[in-house]
Amino acid sequence: QVQLVESGGGLVQAGGSLRLSCAASGQTFSSYNMGWFRQAPGKEREFAASISWSWGRTFYADSVKGRFTISRDNAKNTVYLQMNSLKPEDTAVYYCAAGPRGYLGTTIGDFNSWGQGTQVTVSS
């Protein structure tokens, strides 16, 4: 399995931006589909965005489409989540996830390695 470490979370005002990073190690990063999920207090973990191992195909949850952008740099073994126009409802712990190449999924079950998460708090 691949090991994942997220960074870049913090406190930001509504309308602001943050860029999350997820550094991977342990296996061939370029062979994995990557995803970002988030979990708000008292709620279940939910899908935010995913990117395929090749060709850069991406999926986004409707709630973040047009505001968030997922990207990856295979040379740096890193996946990013650029978050713009942040809203208070984006407040959550954000988790990076890796899944086997092939079908690019949007559910928790499509990914089998997880980071520890990074807190994002958006104030109104």
Side-chain angles (χ1 to χ4, degrees):
Q1 287 189 335
V2 63
Q3 288 76 49
L4 305 171
V5 178
E6 302 96 336
S7 62
L11 173 64
V12 63
Q13 289 188 333
S17 299
L18 281 176
R19 188 177 80 155
L20 305 183
S21 299
C22 172
S25 62
Q27 296 292 335
T28 306
F29 174 75
S30 59
S31 297
Y32 287 85
N33 291 330
M34 300 298 297
W36 286 96
F37 289 74
R38 63 186 186 181
Q39 187 166 16
K43 295 187 177 181
E44 294 186 351
R45 192 171 299 189
E46 65 176 12
F47 169 76
S50 60
I51 186 167
S52 62
W53 70 282
S54 68
W55 302 109
R57 186 180 184 188
T58 57
F59 287 140
Y60 295 94
D62 288 342
S63 58
V64 308
K65 197 173 296 182
R67 301 187 298 121
F68 290 11
T69 301
I70 188 172
S71 62
R72 65 190 297 162
D73 186 338
N74 289 341
K76 295 183 178 180
N77 289 355
T78 302
V79 63
Y80 304 97
L81 186 68
Q82 177 67 44
M83 306 185 294
N84 299 328
S85 302
L86 283 162
K87 305 174 182 180
E89 51 263 44
D90 295 317
T91 295
V93 177
Y94 282 72
Y95 296 91
C96 175
R101 66 183 185 181
Y103 171 74
L104 180 60
T106 61
T107 69
I108 291 175
D110 294 317
F111 299 86
N112 52 21
S113 294
W114 295 84
Q116 294 301 306
T118 184
Q119 176 70 47
V120 171
T121 303
V122 184
S123 63
S124 58

